[in-house]
Amino acid sequence: MAPVGALAGRPPGAARRASAWLFRRPGLRAALTLTPPLGWFVLLYLAALVALLVSAFWSVDPFTSEVVHKWTTANFKSLIEDPTYRRIAFRTIGIAAAVTITDGILAFPFAYFAARVAPRRLQTVLFVLVLLPLWSSYLVRVYAWRLILAHDGALNWTLDKLHFGSLNVGYSNWAMWIVFSYIWLPFMIVPVWTAIERVPDSLLEASMDLGGSVWRTFRSVLLPLALPGLIAGSIFTFSLTLGDYITPTLVGGASSDFIGNVVYRNVGVANNVPFAAAFATLPMIVMGIYLTVARRLGAFEAL
Amino acid sequence: MRESRLTRVGLGIWTTLILLFLFVPIVIIVVYAFNPSNVQGWPLPGLSTKWFSQTWHDQGMRDALWLSIRAALLATTISILLGSAAAFAVHRYRFFGRETVSFLLVLPLALPGIITGMALNSFFSFWSIDLSYYTIVIGHATFCIVIVYNNVVARLRRTSSSLIEASMDLGASGLQTFRYITLPVIGTALLAGGLLAFALSFDEVIVTTFTAGAQNTLPIWIFGKIRIGQQLPEVNVVVLLVLLVTIVPVTLAQRLTREPRAAAGVG
Amino acid sequence: MPEGRWKWATAAVAVVVMAVAAGCGSSSSSSSSKPPTKIGKGEGKLNLVAWEGYTQPEWVKPFETQTGCKVSSKFAGSSDEMVTLMRQGGGSQYDMVSASGDASLRLIRGGDVKPVNVNLVPSWKDFIPQLKSPSHNTVDGKHYGVSVQWGPNVLLYNTQAVTPGPTSWSVIYGPTYKGKVSVPDNPIQIADAALYLSKTNPSLGITDPYELNQKQLNAATDLLKKQKPLIKKYWALSSDESDLFKNGDVVVGAAWPIAVKTLEADKQPVKDTIPKEGATGWADTWMLSAKAKHPNCAYEWMKYISTPKVQAQQAVSYGETPVNQKACPLMDQIEKGSCARLHANAPASYFNSIKFWKTPIADCGNGKTDCQDYTVWQKKWQEVKG
């Protein structure tokens, strides 16, 4: 509330003059607001990323493990030629896609119920319940799944009591698929919920009035409008799975190495940052493409 | 759209199943805080509360918890300042590369954490910066900025700019407009974004592994315990404690940020 | 963005130039100062890189109370990880590392550790002769640390599922327990396969499992690839091992003694043994970082960890063998029979029967230089795992 009366007749104070001066210079204001965040990003993050990409073209001396600053494409050559890394890349991308699709299917009916069917009170409860798991350490939740899926674990124990026999799911790619879908589910639910909520009632009613069946309304009206939310959620599930190395370490089996494991092994263990950087360009490229497509589909407004 | 009775019931069952899916592991975690054995095995061999006092007296746990809280607070503050600054710039002004800013800011979240961690680690090594509390905060703030940014931008888009203009017309200075008009409008968006940023920073492990020195944040301490596989129920006790402590703020934030008929765009 | 394109281009170029300039930063050079002649006042803190189980509260807490040096440990699951951690952030992040023989020389050559004055460690004179100045931590007469403990990589099995008790490593290379085997996730595991081949396939001519030429390395890798379908999981964390055995996923595998002790303490039906083909093993040294920030606390730690009582405690807790000869009776006090079971004062023949970890290098000794170095081992291991 501007105290107009009190100010009338008094010369403007320093702060007021400064703010008026700034008001006449939108460009400067833009620069001032934009410089801190962009400065942070460009100087810290982008510079680091570019330096990383550049180091992918270097190599490492075998015995002293010092980085040799000589331009070479040897890292990329071994990545492309060695079938091991192709396998690992396909496995990573494949499971990431499977997890994304699974989470999309699991999240949508939940989000629809929460956004449109549940009464107000229940909505608050549901929202809190969806976010709560995010506060109980990712590591501990993955470790709990180890217990559930182990040979003598909770799942087999339950199946045994129900006389369904037992599964050998522990420490395998199946286990990783289940665990990843579990961990990232809240990240998919929230944007989809938000997107469905934003779809106006009137549109859906109009579609029904025009003679559309429930399925048709869903397919042609609801789904396209909720799609940005699905895509936004998929950015998280896909990218988080693509780069993870902890879940494969904890619940993976003998053939469960992910891109992240190779990268981690080369950075945190073998101290071969150039090779790790070279392999890391693959998820960067994949996510770059994914993000560009997602932006086209309007996912950025739904994030 | 009136859904049929059958659809509503079906959706309700689906929702319940999903909730079960989400919470069975949480329940197991909580129950295993009472595990008398040192090694995690099924079924639970009994119940014991001995780990509660042991965890409480574990100096390593306390240091880690405190470091995590401090780092998350500072990272959240930085990301609130920088994130809203970026949101204002993008919302108000036309400048070259405007569309690219959103793309840029989302990169730390969209690119796998190990890349961010690796890049920052190499960067700190090159400039001979010691890994410390501050490098941890830098790592966290970098991906938290976009969370606050998205929330504030979404809120600004839904605000009519006529409010700002009216305030200026009535003689308010830029600062007064900001304090009395803009801030209340984006207030709850900042709260929602800040809360989510805090949660993300508090639980982050991959980037932190590369940006922490000899310090332990809580997730790193937890990973250390998981590595050695001994005294694990201490970890369960800590998780139980954190869950209990956060239920209230999360519910409160949810209540405050609910807009009628539209979510505050959390996440 | 037609008008902004030039500005973007300049910005991009600036970023790249900056990054490349950053990348051209020189690597740190280590200053090897002369080791101190007496231990000064403690700095109040000590940052260690250690194997899981080497810094149990049982002996760390008394150390902290005695010296006022608060200990913080970072666990590492492999020698590679230890080397990397010691080089992190300019090399001054951690004060000491409990490096095995396959990491110690790499650290010495890389200038990451500096010589210590063993006269400041009174228990050093009571060490077994072989580990007073072994070649993996003593170069040119300079001691780059003090030995701490040593031990074998054992064969661990579930006594209920694997009967009779196995006497050969063939049990983890053959199909009997398919899908229920586990071995460490570590490139040095290739040496175990080579050791097995040296006894079962003498025509390959393997004499030292760490000195393998291309043909021998390929044979070892092929054996490991044949083993892969039998493996449930390559364990990387100590808890992997205990969880796998306790929850019935694995019944036999290569293990470190700490897993054995953890499972036995939990009353699990397991037993360990050294099969007839012999075993690889490790001899660990506490090394001092070249840029240690808390050297006095580090020396206090070296003093403390070599005393007979602590040596006994650690040996019995982990299941390894102490270097201090006076530890034996104290071990029997903690756990009856442990001194003999852990070969604490065994004759030199036992010591010599273990093939201790060492870094594979191109120089095979006796004039040949066609041995495969460690980077090749790492690549091969990734092949096996991928």
Side-chain angles (χ1 to χ4, degrees):
Chain A
M1 236 198 45
V4 175
L7 274 177
R10 285 203 346 227
R16 201 157 238 284
R17 272 183 286 142
S19 101
W21 183 80
L22 272 179
F23 185 74
R24 287 192 290 276
R25 286 168 183 72
L28 183 58
R29 269 185 301 152
L32 278 178
T33 28
L34 202 52
T35 312
L38 266 201
W40 176 289
F41 256 75
V42 170
L43 288 177
L44 280 177
Y45 185 64
L46 277 189
L49 268 191
V50 172
L52 193 70
L53 285 174
V54 167
S55 74
F57 293 96
W58 293 336
S59 63
V60 156
D61 177 283
F63 196 64
T64 62
S65 300
E66 296 292 337
V67 179
V68 174
H69 296 238
K70 257 176 54 175
W71 187 271
T72 166
T73 52
N75 291 329
F76 289 100
K77 259 184 76 190
S78 22
L79 282 175
I80 297 175
E81 284 170 6
D82 196 334
T84 315
Y85 301 108
R86 267 203 297 278
R87 256 203 313 270
I88 294 177
F90 281 133
R91 180 186 304 138
T92 314
I93 296 177
I95 293 188
V99 168
T100 304
I101 296 174
T102 309
D103 273 346
I105 297 176
L106 287 179
F108 204 91
F110 183 99
Y112 186 89
F113 178 88
R116 309 192 73 89
V117 178
R120 271 320 285 282
R121 269 299 202 43
L122 190 55
Q123 275 187 338
T124 314
V125 170
L126 283 178
F127 199 79
V128 172
L129 285 181
V130 166
L131 284 191
L132 212 53
L134 295 181
W135 288 92
S136 60
S137 171
Y138 156 80
L139 290 169
V140 183
R141 281 180 288 154
V142 176
Y143 196 72
W145 273 101
R146 231 157 86 138
L147 186 66
I148 298 175
L149 296 176
H151 185 269
D152 298 337
L155 181 65
N156 282 345
W157 181 83
T158 317
L159 291 177
D160 188 59
K161 291 265 188 273
L162 297 173
H163 301 287
F164 278 149
S166 71
L167 293 173
N168 190 15
V169 192
Y171 305 106
S172 64
N173 290 341
W174 290 105
M176 293 207 291
W177 170 61
I178 295 175
V179 174
F180 275 128
S181 306
Y182 168 82
I183 297 278
W184 311 135
L185 190 54
F187 289 99
M188 176 66 90
I189 290 181
V190 172
V192 177
W193 179 337
T194 311
I196 292 182
E197 240 184 2
R198 292 201 190 129
V199 175
D201 263 347
S202 48
L203 278 180
L204 297 170
E205 282 173 18
S207 158
M208 301 285 265
D209 287 344
L210 287 169
S213 68
V214 174
W215 174 247
R216 190 70 208 278
T217 307
F218 169 77
R219 210 186 65 199
S220 310
V221 182
L222 184 59
L223 199 54
L225 287 174
L227 195 63
L230 273 171
I231 308 274
S234 75
I235 292 180
F236 289 122
T237 56
F238 196 80
S239 134
L240 289 168
T241 310
L242 201 65
D244 198 80
Y245 63 88
I246 292 188
T247 301
T249 306
L250 287 177
V251 296
S255 294
S256 298
D257 266 4
F258 264 28
I259 294 177
N261 291 93
V262 177
V263 170
Y264 180 75
R265 199 171 288 132
N266 278 290
V267 175
V269 179
N271 213 10
N272 190 351
V273 175
F275 188 77
F279 204 20
T281 54
L282 178 59
M284 281 170 81
I285 295 173
V286 169
M287 281 320 295
I289 298 174
Y290 204 102
L291 282 175
T292 322
V293 170
R295 189 152 68 129
R296 287 283 170 73
L297 293 172
F300 277 44
E301 277 81 50
L303 262 178
Chain B
M1 183 165 104
R2 301 253 82 212
E3 302 88 4
S4 75
R5 193 71 201 279
L6 187 62
T7 320
R8 294 168 88 95
V9 167
L11 288 175
I13 295 180
W14 185 277
T15 305
T16 317
L17 288 176
I18 297 283
L19 283 177
L20 274 175
F21 182 53
L22 280 178
F23 276 89
V24 161
I26 310 273
V27 168
I28 290 185
I29 293 174
V30 166
V31 165
Y32 269 73
F34 300 92
N35 181 9
S37 149
N38 213 4
V39 183
Q40 199 163 268
W42 179 272
L44 202 58
L47 289 175
S48 156
T49 54
K50 70 180 181 193
W51 298 105
F52 282 83
S53 82
Q54 184 166 333
T55 314
W56 188 248
H57 291 110
D58 187 341
Q59 191 60 37
M61 183 283 281
R62 284 198 169 145
D63 291 342
L65 181 62
W66 182 228
L67 180 63
S68 271
I69 293 176
R70 273 166 49 216
L73 279 176
L74 187 53
T76 306
T77 311
I78 294 178
S79 57
I80 285 182
L81 291 172
L82 295 184
S84 38
F88 279 124
V90 165
H91 178 75
R92 287 249 191 86
Y93 310 111
R94 307 257 169 285
F95 54 89
F96 69 88
R98 192 159 162 248
E99 286 82 39
T100 326
V101 173
S102 329
F103 191 90
L104 217 63
L105 289 178
V106 90
L107 274 184
L109 264 192
L111 288 184
I114 191 170
I115 292 180
T116 309
M118 228 185 3
L120 287 176
N121 184 302
S122 307
F123 185 81
F124 294 138
S125 281
F126 285 149
W127 292 106
S128 292
I129 299 175
D130 258 353
L131 298 184
S132 67
Y133 167 69
Y134 294 105
T135 53
I136 297 176
V137 169
I138 291 175
H140 287 193
T142 308
F143 58 74
C144 285
I145 289 179
V146 69
I147 296 174
V148 177
Y149 167 84
N150 276 325
N151 275 15
V152 177
V153 157
R155 179 63 59 86
L156 285 176
R157 280 210 193 105
R158 281 200 284 282
T159 318
S160 98
S161 54
S162 52
L163 277 175
I164 314 277
E165 286 171 16
S167 157
M168 304 288 246
D169 285 344
L170 286 169
S173 72
L175 200 62
Q176 281 171 325
T177 308
F178 182 78
R179 208 173 121 210
Y180 296 118
I181 308 291
T182 320
L183 213 49
V185 163
I186 63 168
T188 49
L190 284 182
L191 182 62
L195 199 64
L196 196 61
F198 190 93
L200 240 61
S201 157
F202 192 72
D203 191 32
E204 214 287 325
V205 63
I206 294 186
V207 173
T208 320
T209 309
F210 288 96
T211 53
Q215 310 85 4
N216 279 347
T217 56
L218 193 64
I220 295 184
W221 176 83
I222 291 178
F223 198 49
K225 281 268 179 279
I226 287 182
R227 285 195 79 121
I228 192 170
Q230 292 180 357
Q231 295 140 17
L232 270 169
E234 275 194 41
V235 168
N236 296 53
V237 168
V238 174
V239 169
L240 173 57
L241 176 72
V242 170
L243 274 178
L244 288 175
V245 166
T246 55
I247 287 183
V248 169
V250 170
T251 318
L252 233 81
Q254 164 62 0
R255 283 275 180 74
L256 285 174
T257 60
R258 290 301 273 170
E259 287 172 30
R261 209 63 192 91
V266 176
Chain C
M1 323 175 277
E3 75 276 84
R5 221 181 302 165
W6 279 121
K7 293 188 191 163
W8 259 133
T10 345
V13 168
V15 168
V16 172
V17 167
M18 210 169 22
V20 172
C24 290
S26 57
S27 53
S28 53
S29 55
S30 62
S31 53
S32 46
S33 45
K34 279 185 65 72
T37 43
K38 67 189 228 1
I39 305 178
K41 192 165 168 317
E43 297 93 351
K45 252 175 87 63
L46 184 62
N47 296 325
L48 303 174
V49 174
W51 296 106
E52 292 142 80
Y54 270 40
T55 50
Q56 299 290 60
E58 193 188 328
W59 54 88
V60 166
K61 278 219 174 22
F63 172 77
E64 288 178 333
T65 330
Q66 261 181 270
T67 61
C69 299
K70 198 160 136 3
V71 173
S72 109
S73 337
K74 180 95 169 179
F75 297 133
S78 69
S79 293
D80 295 343
E81 238 181 300
M82 290 190 167
V83 172
T84 305
L85 282 170
M86 288 309 281
R87 294 186 177 156
Q88 198 168 274
S92 57
Q93 215 70 59
Y94 300 97
D95 303 302
M96 302 201 77
V97 59
S98 61
S100 297
D102 61 332
S104 47
L105 280 179
R106 279 190 272 164
L107 290 168
I108 296 176
R109 296 275 159 82
D112 305 296
V113 292
K114 63 183 176 193
V116 301
N117 183 351
V118 291
N119 296 323
L120 295 176
V121 182
S123 301
W124 182 81
K125 52 187 185 346
D126 298 322
F127 284 9
I128 59 177
Q130 300 96 324
L131 286 177
K132 268 188 166 157
S133 312
S135 55
H136 61 250
N137 70 28
T138 309
V139 174
D140 295 332
K142 297 206 198 116
H143 295 92
Y144 284 87
V146 287
S147 302
V148 49
Q149 305 257 351
W150 55 283
N153 295 316
V154 296
L155 178 64
L156 175 62
Y157 62 97
N158 183 322
T159 47
Q160 288 172 352
V162 181
T163 51
T167 54
S168 160
W169 284 109
S170 61
V171 68
I172 64 168
Y173 293 109
T176 327
Y177 299 101
K178 184 168 171 172
K180 292 202 161 269
V181 179
S182 177
V183 297
D185 180 1
N186 193 339
I188 210 84
Q189 188 65 17
I190 297 178
D192 291 66
L195 181 64
Y196 181 70
L197 283 178
S198 71
K199 299 280 159 41
T200 56
N201 193 346
S203 62
L204 281 171
I206 300 176
T207 46
D208 183 328
Y210 303 97
E211 286 166 4
L212 304 174
N213 60 31
Q214 180 137 29
K215 184 157 152 278
Q216 295 162 339
L217 184 61
N218 287 344
T221 316
D222 285 341
L223 178 62
L224 288 169
K225 286 187 182 160
K226 278 214 273 294
Q227 184 195 44
K228 179 135 179 234
L230 314 173
I231 305 277
K232 176 70 177 171
K233 183 175 173 64
Y234 291 94
W235 63 265
L237 315 170
S238 185
S239 64
D240 284 348
E241 273 259 80
S242 12
D243 285 348
L244 284 168
F245 272 88
K246 172 154 183 176
N247 292 306
D249 286 288
V250 158
V251 297
V252 66
W256 290 345
I258 177 114
V260 183
K261 299 297 311 223
T262 310
L263 289 166
E264 282 175 354
D266 202 57
K267 316 263 192 303
Q268 298 297 308
V270 294
K271 213 162 137 26
D272 65 312
T273 175
I274 298 185
K276 61 177 193 253
E277 293 90 357
T280 52
W282 25 267
D284 298 336
T285 312
W286 275 113
M287 310 186 95
L288 180 63
S289 163
K291 298 206 182 121
K293 287 197 187 132
H294 314 103
N296 293 323
C297 277
Y299 269 96
E300 291 287 354
W301 177 256
M302 282 192 274
K303 260 179 65 181
Y304 179 78
I305 205 77
S306 343
T307 53
K309 178 154 180 283
V310 183
Q311 285 267 306
Q313 278 180 315
Q314 183 172 342
V316 173
S317 159
Y318 192 92
E320 50 189 354
T321 316
V323 297
N324 191 326
Q325 297 172 75
K326 295 199 173 143
C328 180
L330 296 172
M331 286 168 73
D332 279 330
Q333 274 177 24
I334 302 177
E335 188 186 293
K336 218 161 167 333
S338 57
C339 178
R341 197 166 57 79
L342 295 170
H343 310 273
N345 283 343
S349 55
Y350 174 71
F351 187 89
N352 296 331
S353 73
I354 298 186
K355 303 278 184 235
F356 289 103
W357 283 351
K358 64 184 202 208
T359 311
I361 50 174
D363 179 6
C364 301
N366 65 352
K368 298 233 194 88
T369 49
D370 63 339
C371 279
Q372 301 299 299
D373 70 40
Y374 193 59
T375 48
V376 183
W377 282 50
Q378 285 171 325
K379 280 221 168 62
K380 286 286 183 187
W381 183 250
Q382 184 67 69
E383 255 178 54
V384 170
K385 282 211 65 195

